[in-house]
Amino acid sequence: MKFDYLIVGAGFSGCILAERIATNLGKKVLIVERRNHIAGNAYDYYDENGILVHKYGPHIFHTNSKKVWDYLSRFTEWNIYYHKVLAVVDGKKIPVPFNLNSLYLIFPQKYAEKLEKQLIETFGYGVKIPILKLKEATSGELKFLADFIYEKVFLNYTTKQWGYKPEELDGSVTARVPVYISRDDRYFQDIYQGIPKLGYTKMFEKMINHPNIHILLNTDYREIIEDVKFNKLIYTGPVDYFFDYIYGELPYRSLRFEFKTMKLEYFQEVAQINYPNDYDFTRITEFKHMTGQKGDLTTIAYEFPESYIIGKNEPYYPIPKEENLEIYKKYLKEISKLNGIVYFVGRLAEYRYYNMDQIVARALNVFEKEVIYNI
Ligand code: FAD
Ligand code: UDP
């Protein structure tokens, strides 16, 4: 069979582009996926105890883009869910992002009042400040506070998660979880937040349920690329693999997940508890809090960060660090030599720490600004 497009990868970027091309352009698409399932890292499934779990770590959808929310809402209804995270610091569970409630849980009342006043006078209520900025911008007692938060919330978590200290990574990494001068305990403040009502995988199934879309699972694209006829290629896998590592491997960070089911209604107070300073894992996720499932069993997942080794584990996170971006730029030059014959879209193909909503926006944009002008 001949296809108009071959798409490598059945994650957000691959499936959205397949859906747009099939529905809007009426073209034939083959998606080839290395894993035995669609949905990429957002894949969820019912475990042997009937609990809906996220195979590759907790996925909470959040966005300020109405366009992105409306697009996905064609394929799913939502459980409106506001993610809450606690971190264990000095034996207490405090809200993260570190906020005014965290301040009062950590420090004696009078001292917390003093720090709160100084924070609001210096930065204003409702302001979010990345920890590395807070450390630079403050002196006296606020500097003490910044150093405290840095040491107790960020330093050890980041070192575990990435193998680097916060200041050795691009500032955008720790800026994802800024100090928040507020009493809002939610992890995200986006307008739209939720979890697909029947799960992410069901949402993806609906998205690519189209007579023009064919899917081949358990297959690396290289196994079939010589045998399949197609006009254009959309690639959402690792960019260094595509170019046979000619400029060396791009470093990724991997994770090992350990799942455990218990005969308990709930294991912990909220969906996610972070352990910055204890254990080898970074966080424990309890899925029922996110999915709204009820019952007397619960499943949790521990996340153990580890180095990515090709062929051994999965490349979950590009590592945002100057020297890695330099390598990526060399691959970008190779991409430009292809003169738009291949589209590179996604967290692995663009070596970018994209959230789900960002990758939805990016895939829609590639379709609207590039694909339809280059049929
Ligand atoms: P992917 O989902 O990685 O899809 C790429 C697909 O290509 C994969 O299925 C892969 O198997 C396939 N592939 C690769 N190479 C080949 C090949 N050679 N041949 C065939 N197929 C191939 N985002 C949020 O917004 N909120 C969250 O709460 C959140 N939590 C996260 C937690 C974790 C632990 C991780 C790792 C990510 C999280 N994300 C979250 C980010 C989210 O997973 C990504 O933004 C999104 O999945 C990116 O989609 P993608 O299509 O770029 O990549
Ligand atoms: N982070 C931290 N302590 C925390 C939470 C986050 O140091 O309690 C830092 C850490 O470097 C982490 C980054 O902030 O990798 C981004 O956190 P986020 O929760 O966004 O990570 P993700 O869900 O993408 O793994």
Side-chain angles (χ1 to χ4, degrees), residues 58 60 62 83 85-89 96-98 131 149-150 152-162 164-166 169 172-178 187-188 255 272-276 282-283 303 317 347 353-355:
I60 300 95
H62 57 101
H83 196 43
V85 177
L86 299 172
V88 178
V89 169
V96 168
F98 192 100
I131 185 60
I149 300 171
Y150 173 85
K152 302 278 185 166
V153 179
F154 286 94
L155 178 60
N156 297 328
Y157 187 107
T158 302
T159 309
K160 252 195 279 189
Q161 169 71 9
W162 299 96
Y164 293 106
K165 292 182 181 163
L169 292 160
S172 59
V173 174
T174 42
R176 290 167 61 88
V177 187
Y187 205 59
F188 309 109
L255 296 170
Q272 185 182 321
I273 299 196
N274 291 358
Y275 292 84
T282 48
R283 56 190 181 187
E303 276 177 56
Y317 294 86
R347 184 146 146 147
Y353 193 172
Y354 280 124
N355 286 332

Side-chain angles (χ1 to χ4, degrees), residues 67-80:
K67 178 177 174 178
V68 163
W69 181 259
D70 286 348
Y71 174 74
L72 291 182
S73 301
R74 294 185 202 174
F75 313 108
T76 187
E77 289 180 34
W78 300 91
N79 266 336
I80 299 306

Side-chain angles (χ1 to χ4, degrees), residues 8-13 32-35 40-41 56-60 62 219-221 236-238 241 255 257 283 303 316-317 346-348 354-357 359:
V8 178
F12 267 99
S13 38
V32 54
E33 167 58 57
R34 199 168 48 77
R35 292 171 171 165
N41 285 341
Y56 306 102
H59 276 70
I60 300 95
H62 57 101
T219 312
D220 188 302
Y221 79 102
T236 77
Y241 176 71
L255 296 170
F257 297 97
R283 56 190 181 187
E303 276 177 56
Y316 290 120
Y317 294 86
R347 184 146 146 147
L348 302 170
Y354 280 124
N355 286 332
M356 291 183 279
D357 64 324
I359 200 62

Side-chain angles (χ1 to χ4, degrees), residues 38 44 75-76 198-207:
I38 60 167
D44 54 12
F75 313 108
T76 187
L198 302 176
Y200 287 94
T201 307
K202 283 272 175 260
M203 176 180 82
F204 278 87
E205 280 171 7
K206 199 162 174 207
M207 188 184 286

Side-chain angles (χ1 to χ4, degrees), residues 323-351:
E323 68 216 52
N324 301 345
L325 295 178
E326 288 307 317
I327 306 175
Y328 173 63
K329 278 185 200 156
K330 293 185 186 166
Y331 285 112
L332 260 185
K333 278 212 170 121
E334 292 302 312
I335 292 174
S336 67
K337 286 185 205 162
L338 298 174
N339 290 325
I341 299 171
V342 185
Y343 299 95
F344 288 81
V345 192
R347 184 146 146 147
L348 302 170
E350 297 177 72
Y351 201 66

Side-chain angles (χ1 to χ4, degrees), residues 202-261:
K202 283 272 175 260
M203 176 180 82
F204 278 87
E205 280 171 7
K206 199 162 174 207
M207 188 184 286
I208 60 170
N209 180 14
H210 190 288
N212 285 356
I213 301 178
H214 298 257
I215 174 122
L216 193 57
L217 296 176
N218 300 305
T219 312
D220 188 302
Y221 79 102
R222 289 198 172 172
E223 294 167 32
I224 52 116
I225 194 143
E226 302 296 339
D227 307 321
V228 174
K229 288 198 171 49
F230 60 92
N231 287 334
K232 297 219 162 60
L233 181 61
I234 295 176
Y235 182 76
T236 77
V239 60
D240 49 356
Y241 176 71
F242 185 90
F243 290 107
D244 275 326
Y245 307 105
I246 49 170
Y247 299 117
E249 284 175 33
L250 276 165
Y252 293 93
R253 194 68 173 159
S254 193
L255 296 170
R256 179 171 62 81
F257 297 97
E258 244 178 63
F259 289 84
K260 193 171 162 190
T261 301

